[in-house]
Amino acid sequence: MKGVTIIAEHVVKNGGDGAWLARALFAGFGVLLLLGMFGLFLKDCHDSYFDIYDWGVVLIALLAILCFGFMCAGAAKNFADDSTHMEYTVKLDERASYLEFTERYEVLEEEDGVCRVRERG
């Protein structure tokens, strides 16, 4: 394309964005599991029978299962998306048509006439 000088090419992995979510959900699962065990301990230590402890344990168990499911889904998405795309660092001069350039490339970052872009598609 006229007026566009490629300065650098970068291979960027598409996956990896869900790793923090998987770690956070795993930590949440651990906390809920500990709370569930604490609820069972309280129920066993109490002399009288309270239904509130049973419902609390069931609720915490359901939340733990839900949290574990989200953790697995986040991890699966993170590991399944191994595809990559190319990003380019380019310099534009006065011969470049900005309209034609933006139709072909998505501008991710721009500073002083130097752009980081990736192809649309």
Side-chain angles (χ1 to χ4, degrees):
M1 188 172 177
K2 288 184 181 180
V4 177
T5 305
I6 297 175
I7 298 171
E9 297 180 3
H10 313 279
V11 178
V12 179
K13 183 178 178 196
N14 291 332
D17 295 340
W20 66 271
L21 177 65
R23 286 192 295 270
L25 288 174
F26 185 72
F29 174 71
V31 168
L32 288 175
L33 190 62
L34 289 175
L35 285 174
M37 291 195 302
F38 182 69
L40 285 173
F41 174 75
L42 284 179
K43 181 184 178 304
D44 288 341
C45 289
H46 235 271
D47 292 335
S48 59
Y49 181 78
F50 289 106
D51 286 339
I52 190 72
Y53 289 116
D54 290 337
W55 283 108
V57 170
V58 168
L59 180 63
I60 289 173
L62 288 175
L63 287 173
I65 291 169
L66 182 67
C67 186
F68 184 71
F70 278 123
M71 180 191 68
C72 290
K77 180 215 171 278
N78 185 46
F79 294 126
D81 193 6
D82 282 340
S83 62
T84 60
H85 68 272
M86 292 296 293
E87 289 184 4
Y88 304 95
T89 303
V90 298
K91 174 110 174 122
L92 302 175
D93 63 23
E94 63 277 350
R95 296 179 298 151
S97 166
Y98 195 75
L99 179 62
E100 183 182 342
F101 179 75
T102 55
E103 286 176 354
R104 184 170 177 185
Y105 297 99
E106 177 184 354
V107 179
L108 304 172
E109 192 177 309
E110 182 175 0
E111 186 177 321
D112 297 330
V114 177
C115 302
R116 188 171 58 90
V117 299
R118 73 175 176 193
E119 287 189 76
R120 293 190 185 269

